[in-house]
Amino acid sequence: MTLHHHQRRLAEAEAQTESRRQAALEQALTLAFWDALERGPLPPMAALEAAARTVGTLYRQIASLHGPAPRCGCGWQPEPDEDLIRLEAMLAAALIERPRPSLADLPVAGRA
């Protein structure tokens, strides 16, 4: 196995790990959101506004740990303008993303 091949496999494994961690976080956030709504009625936009404020607060807290005197060794540097554009793009993509059909949604193609 060449060094390049090994590095590529390592990068792929890291990307898969990050993807799994993102999916776990998304699932936890979704469950917490719906759990909060089940506890008491809240108009949908009010709930989404609260979620957006929370994301903004989390960004500010995380950025403060990574700013001029970083207290975290991960190397990320906050770039508020660029980061906001990236977050807005993710929100826009999620709003226009079409749901993926499940097997149950597909038309019957014949009989078995």
Side-chain angles (χ1 to χ4, degrees):
M1 179 183 308
T2 67
L3 179 61
H4 176 71
H5 182 71
H6 179 70
Q7 289 173 332
R8 191 179 74 210
R9 287 182 54 145
L10 184 59
E12 289 172 359
E14 289 174 4
Q16 288 175 351
T17 298
E18 183 174 323
S19 181
R20 282 193 303 272
R21 289 177 178 165
Q22 284 183 354
L25 178 58
E26 289 171 8
Q27 182 179 15
L29 292 171
T30 300
L31 291 173
F33 181 84
W34 287 112
D35 184 52
L37 287 181
E38 286 179 3
R39 286 192 221 133
L42 187 63
M45 278 309 295
L48 292 169
E49 288 167 2
R53 275 192 307 276
T54 301
V55 169
T57 299
L58 287 169
Y59 176 86
R60 192 174 57 250
Q61 292 171 351
I62 292 167
S64 72
L65 297 173
H66 295 82
R71 290 177 274 180
C72 175
C74 75
W76 177 71
Q77 290 291 314
E79 296 288 340
D81 292 337
E82 292 176 25
D83 296 339
L84 179 59
I85 290 169
R86 189 172 175 179
L87 291 170
E88 287 174 335
M90 293 302 296
L91 177 59
L95 288 173
I96 63 173
E97 182 178 292
R98 298 188 118 149
R100 295 182 192 130
S102 71
L103 188 58
D105 296 330
L106 297 176
V108 177
R111 297 192 321 216

